[in-house]
Amino acid sequence: MGKDNPLNTSISGAAIAIRFLGILNWCLLDRAMFKEFGRSMKEPVLEENELMAMRFSAICRWFYWFILTLMLTFTAFPAYAAHIGTVEEFSIVYPNKSEKPGSTHEITYNKKGKNVFWVTGQNYDRVVEVTLDGKTTFHPMPNGSGPHGIEFDAAGNLWITLEFLGAIARLDSNGNIVAKYDVQLDCSTCKTKINTHPHGLGIGSDGKTVWYTGKATGTLGRITSEGEVKTFALSSVGSVPIYINAGPDGNMWFTELVGNAVGRITPNGQITEYPIPTLNSRPIAIVADPSGKAMWFTEEAGNKIGRIDLQGNITEFPVPKTQNNVILASLTFDNQKNLWVEQYVDANNPNSNSPDYIIKIDRRIRESEPDDISQIPFTFYQVPTRNTVMHRIIQGPDKNIWFTELRSDKVGRVLTTSN
């Protein structure tokens, strides 16, 4: 994997130069050594012990440079080793891809387990393990199940939404389904149950309660550790709840894509919805602020990020556009409290074959006001592939920033460390 980026397979020009200098150094030192020995042998006035000392010194100097030259000559120098800010991509070659459109969605990893990502390939009915060097292992899900949301609970159990089946499943470490919960709605006047289309999935602050968004029915759902399923209705059936995440206040926070709101649901199911000032902003992802005092969310169409405090007060910040037809996907914080956002060309309004970007927003944004962000650095990292339709972004166990490309079926990495 990783063949899409030449940095994965080539040696940088600097490394080639170092190797050349190493070989040249070896040749010069070899010549200097023999010259040194020759000179010492032609000095008749020197005492025997002086001659021995001179020869020993020459041998030591030669041996030292010989070892250093070997290290310079034969040490591999991957091009990305010192290039913080480089964007790399790894293709996910699904075994049943055929002519299906791209469908690489969510990404997570077990913070108490191996340094391996788990990714959902919704239209391929696959859950994929991806290592830090891009190697993949595919785990088939039921045909037509549409795995989407994915997250580990505190015990290390992996949970996924099977959106097309209307179910939530728990997987073992080998990617096998060990438990499945029907989250469809009963309907006395319907021939079949109503599929809620469970989309986003999050784990409660207790580390064991599973929450999900019913995208098709304007509902949220909860599965307790005892396996009890309960559904909670939002104010509008057409609100399209899309993403849900635990807040620092012990509640779950969620976004309503069409309802244009951020919502909060308490552990016992009490719901409060907060309208977003920007109309038709289409909020997507939501994550907790490192301070524990707020949540942050992205506005896909509004091209803004929003901060909502725990009392429901919303502040919006515009994200600089690289061109007019760009939209936002997800966001995440790194361990330095900087905020990272995905900005990509709208597939429904492409207009030009322009690049997509991962944007790093300096941590000072967390304490700023929207009318005073001119001094906040925004750093843009261009993604090599065009028309990616980026989807999710997280900081990985290696402290680098990882993201999914839905349309191009890739995972990407922005190097933020030299390790």
Side-chain angles (χ1 to χ4, degrees):
M1 302 305 297
K3 63 183 179 181
D4 305 280
N5 192 323
L7 296 179
N8 291 331
T9 56
S10 64
I11 302 300
S12 68
I16 293 174
I18 290 174
R19 290 181 171 182
F20 173 77
L21 291 174
I23 294 172
L24 179 62
N25 185 47
W26 161 250
C27 295
L28 293 175
L29 287 172
D30 185 63
R31 181 173 178 272
M33 173 209 171
F34 285 106
K35 184 177 180 180
E36 184 84 10
F37 267 108
R39 188 175 71 83
S40 65
M41 295 297 293
K42 293 177 182 179
E43 296 285 350
V45 296
L46 294 176
E47 297 293 336
E48 181 66 23
N49 60 341
E50 291 178 318
L51 286 172
M52 292 296 293
M54 182 181 294
R55 291 168 183 167
F56 180 75
S57 176
I59 291 172
C60 288
R61 291 200 303 273
W62 176 84
F63 183 75
Y64 169 79
W65 286 110
F66 171 70
I67 296 299
L68 181 59
T69 299
L70 285 179
M71 293 173 62
L72 288 173
T73 304
F74 297 107
T75 300
F77 290 89
Y80 59 78
H83 290 271
I84 294 176
T86 296
V87 180
E88 299 175 308
E89 296 173 297
F90 304 94
S91 293
I92 300 181
V93 185
Y94 294 91
N96 60 335
K97 181 176 176 63
S98 64
E99 298 301 320
K100 294 181 178 180
S103 192
T104 298
H105 288 253
E106 304 285 324
I107 182 170
T108 191
Y109 71 94
N110 186 1
K111 295 177 176 57
K112 296 181 179 179
K114 298 185 297 182
N115 293 338
V116 176
F117 295 103
W118 290 75
V119 176
T120 50
Q122 186 170 42
N123 289 341
Y124 309 116
D125 296 323
R126 293 292 190 277
V127 172
V128 190
E129 289 183 78
V130 182
T131 63
L132 295 179
D133 58 356
K135 293 182 175 62
T136 54
T137 303
F138 296 91
H139 303 286
M141 296 293 108
N143 289 336
S145 59
H148 186 268
I150 186 167
E151 194 55 78
F152 285 92
D153 65 20
N157 299 307
L158 182 59
W159 295 83
I160 63 171
T161 65
L162 300 176
E163 184 171 347
F164 302 161
L165 288 185
I168 305 292
R170 179 165 56 87
L171 309 183
D172 63 19
S173 58
N174 295 317
N176 300 310
I177 294 178
V178 294
K180 189 164 67 173
Y181 302 88
D182 182 2
V183 296
Q184 299 178 98
L185 301 181
D186 291 323
C187 177
S188 59
T189 60
C190 306
K191 293 182 179 180
T192 61
K193 290 183 176 181
I194 298 174
N195 186 357
T196 59
H197 279 261
H199 189 76
L201 185 146
I203 305 299
S205 299
D206 60 1
K208 57 186 179 181
T209 301
V210 176
W211 292 83
Y212 60 91
T213 58
K215 185 174 73 171
T217 53
T219 56
L220 304 175
R222 181 189 66 195
I223 304 176
T224 67
S225 57
E226 292 78 26
E228 178 189 4
V229 178
K230 188 173 179 59
T231 302
F232 305 91
L234 301 179
S235 60
S236 171
V237 69
S239 57
V240 188
I242 201 82
Y243 202 90
I244 189 164
N245 215 338
D249 56 353
N251 300 312
M252 300 298 292
W253 292 76
F254 58 93
T255 55
E256 298 179 20
L257 185 70
V258 178
N260 200 50
V262 171
R264 178 185 65 202
I265 183 169
T266 64
N268 63 4
Q270 183 178 348
I271 295 173
T272 307
E273 294 164 288
Y274 303 98
I276 296 172
T278 298
L279 298 178
N280 193 33
S281 67
R282 293 177 64 85
I284 300 287
I286 186 165
V287 297
D289 186 278
S291 69
K293 298 179 180 179
M295 302 292 289
W296 288 79
F297 59 93
T298 49
E299 299 178 14
E300 179 189 73
N303 208 80
K304 298 176 183 178
I305 53 173
R307 180 181 66 207
I308 180 168
D309 64 26
L310 302 184
Q311 290 72 47
N313 301 302
I314 294 176
T315 306
E316 298 174 286
F317 302 85
V319 176
K321 291 185 177 183
T322 54
Q323 59 188 55
N324 287 331
N325 60 329
V326 292
I327 56 179
L328 301 183
S330 188
L331 77 171
T332 192
F333 282 99
D334 64 22
N335 59 328
Q336 301 299 315
K337 302 179 182 179
N338 300 303
L339 188 57
W340 295 76
V341 182
E342 299 165 303
Q343 185 182 81
Y344 65 96
V345 175
D346 184 358
N348 296 315
N349 182 29
N351 288 340
S352 63
N353 188 28
S354 302
D356 300 328
Y357 291 90
I358 300 295
I359 305 173
K360 176 185 175 182
I361 307 174
D362 187 85
R363 59 188 177 186
R364 284 176 286 173
I365 190 73
R366 299 171 47 247
E367 307 297 333
S368 299
E369 295 301 325
D371 57 353
D372 185 30
I373 62 170
S374 61
Q375 302 303 312
I376 304 298
F378 287 73
T379 307
F380 289 71
Y381 299 93
Q382 182 174 318
V383 177
T385 299
R386 304 293 174 95
N387 302 314
T388 62
V389 185
M390 289 185 284
H391 198 68
R392 293 293 175 261
I393 185 170
I394 62 172
Q395 184 174 43
D398 56 354
K399 306 307 178 187
N400 294 310
I401 299 300
W402 290 77
F403 57 95
T404 58
E405 301 176 17
L406 187 154
R407 185 170 184 173
S408 53
D409 283 332
K410 297 178 181 179
V411 293
R413 170 174 64 186
V414 183
L415 294 176
T416 60
T417 71
S418 58
N419 297 324

